[in-house]
Amino acid sequence: MLKRIYIWIALCSMLMLAACGTEQTSSQEVSSSEGTTQATTKVITNPNGEEVTIPLNPQRIVDLSGSTEELLIVGKTPVATTSADYGQQDQITPPLKDKLDANTVVLGWLGSKFSIEAVTASNPDLIILGKDFNTDQYETLSLIAPTIVLPYSYYDWRERLTFLADTFGEETKKDEFLAKYDAKSAEWKQKLESTVNGESFAVIETYPNNLVIYSNKGAAEMLYGEWGLKRTEGIPEPEGWGGKQISIEALISVNPDQLVLMENSENKMEDSKVWNNMNAVKDGKIYKISSVDNYNYSYTALGRMELMDRLGNLILEGQK
């Protein structure tokens, strides 16, 4: 308790400036024109066990979880976001560029440290924090506005979308989006099944000193899970985030027929004999996106819709 008091005193001046914003109600219910009552707040239990009362219809959301795409799907537009371009973290992520107000505050990428002052200045009535990054700021944030922590990681976009839809009572909007997504994915599965002839795939991301080879999550989840493409034998079991760091030399046991490559320009793969001996390289069946695009498109709902067309078309073109 004493620690919270000290934090409150430190933030007091910023909070006083923000207090002149929209008036908040402490009531749980309001009367409707029909004489019945409707709830205006909801109690959420955070992963730490703390119960938080949040507004059911928040007007000034600060999203620190990277879930702005999912929020838009359920009809909630944040005033500040960490859904930022992975390469230029002062810019909004590409799938959101034409979907957010020009005045939306960009607080940087969700994995970076954000400004408490900028959060306070946004005068939020709800803050959404992710479970993977900046959780040490929860106590400070909860003094600014009700703060909920999403119990799902940045790569679990479906689960995040479902959680937010349940939180705000917008299950219908969620179901409509997922129906469109799954129908589109099913169309791509049918197109690719008839053209790739059962050949195997690998999904690799390059770094200056090593590689990451994916088994699920992100683009690999789409290829192997949604489209049913064959995963190359020899790919190591993934860690919880869906991939495994390996050396270039470790590729000697992985020989895909086709390859989705998320390329970092600092890693020159063509200098490796192991790399050049892979079937996909020799046959020219490599489908490239950048590492930046991987993080901008692979782990969010709207980004995945765009990535689906991009990778699907690259793979189709590679079969000619």
Side-chain angles (χ1 to χ4, degrees), residues 194-206:
S194 60
T195 59
V196 300
N197 298 317
E199 292 191 340
S200 67
F201 284 75
V203 179
I204 292 175
E205 185 173 19
T206 68

Side-chain angles (χ1 to χ4, degrees), residues 2-74:
L2 188 59
K3 180 181 177 182
R4 292 177 70 91
I5 291 173
Y6 287 151
I7 295 174
W8 173 259
I9 292 172
L11 290 171
C12 187
S13 60
M14 291 186 290
L15 293 172
M16 287 179 67
L17 291 173
C20 61
T22 56
E23 182 180 348
Q24 296 183 359
T25 176
S26 59
S27 62
Q28 292 288 326
E29 298 178 333
V30 294
S31 297
S32 70
S33 58
E34 291 79 14
T36 59
T37 58
Q38 296 177 328
T40 60
T41 61
K42 182 176 184 177
V43 176
I44 297 291
T45 302
N46 279 328
N48 64 359
E50 182 173 342
E51 292 186 343
V52 181
T53 300
I54 69 166
L56 272 180
N57 188 27
Q59 301 300 303
R60 298 191 62 81
I61 298 174
V62 170
D63 173 33
L64 303 174
S65 69
S67 300
T68 293
E69 293 181 28
E70 291 73 36
L71 283 168
L72 290 181
I73 289 168
V74 300

